[in-house]
Amino acid sequence: MTDIAPCLWFDRQGEEAANFYVSLLPDSRIDHIQRALSDYPNGKIGDVLLVEFTLCGRPYQALNAGPNTPFTQAISMSITVDGQAEVDRLWDALIADGGEPNVCSWLKDKYGLSWQIVPQRLMDLMKDPDRGRAKRAMDAMTRMTKIDVAGLEAAANGADA
């Protein structure tokens, strides 16, 4: 069988980051921690080298490989959530302790990994068969940082967001 799992490159915080991420999302866990069997360029024998973990039922890896390859927005973790309460909970947790908010539902966590916290209602509004409603919702979203579901609804219905 062939498997595929995104491998996230960390300096030395892979285990810490994986534990943080699994604490936020359902159906998430640490599956295995591989320690270095010998010294390597970024660490010593016994250091955590690779963390295999599951987020929302999907496999990931966190590799402690050194500071030479920081994250960019070229890849992000996109989470679709049920409502404003989940947007707020995840947003606040992910920008805490040094994370940075960005526009249109994007943020960067304290490890430098980019995330999008997207309420399902935004996706539904953007697929609305009434293209005017969909456009108004999209226009409102582009003016937001953290997504405000009530603001999207109001904009879709013709009010200024």
Side-chain angles (χ1 to χ4, degrees), residues 5-155:
C7 183
L8 305 174
W9 180 306
F10 292 87
D11 181 1
R12 293 181 167 272
Q13 324 88 327
E15 182 179 18
E16 177 185 322
N19 279 312
F20 175 59
Y21 301 151
V22 302
S23 76
L24 297 176
L25 301 167
D27 192 17
S28 299
R29 65 190 172 276
I30 301 295
D31 298 310
H32 179 74
I33 296 175
Q34 177 66 50
R35 297 191 176 275
L37 300 175
S38 60
D39 291 350
Y40 65 107
N42 193 49
K44 302 209 176 298
I45 190 169
D47 288 352
V48 172
L49 178 63
L50 182 73
V51 180
E52 296 175 32
F53 62 106
T54 298
L55 292 180
C56 295
R58 295 184 178 168
Y60 291 85
Q61 299 172 344
L63 178 66
N64 286 330
N68 297 329
T69 308
F71 294 116
T72 73
Q73 282 187 305
I75 191 164
S76 65
M77 307 294 274
S78 182
I79 305 174
T80 304
V81 299
D82 287 332
Q84 191 67 51
E86 273 299 277
V87 169
D88 294 345
R89 181 184 75 80
L90 290 169
W91 185 274
D92 293 345
L94 288 164
I95 64 167
D97 301 321
E100 301 172 8
N102 206 330
V103 297
C104 302
S105 81
W106 288 71
L107 63 87
K108 192 177 288 189
D109 71 21
K110 63 185 173 183
Y111 305 104
L113 185 60
S114 292
W115 295 77
Q116 299 171 66
I117 311 303
V118 182
Q120 180 61 51
R121 189 63 184 134
L122 171 60
M123 304 308 290
D124 296 342
L125 286 167
M126 294 196 36
K127 295 174 189 172
D128 193 307
D130 178 337
R131 301 316 296 157
R133 281 177 50 82
K135 181 185 181 318
R136 289 189 299 272
M138 181 174 173
D139 289 347
M141 181 269 302
T142 63
R143 294 188 302 268
M144 295 178 180
T145 301
K146 177 174 69 172
I147 300 301
D148 170 20
V149 176
L152 291 174
E153 293 281 358

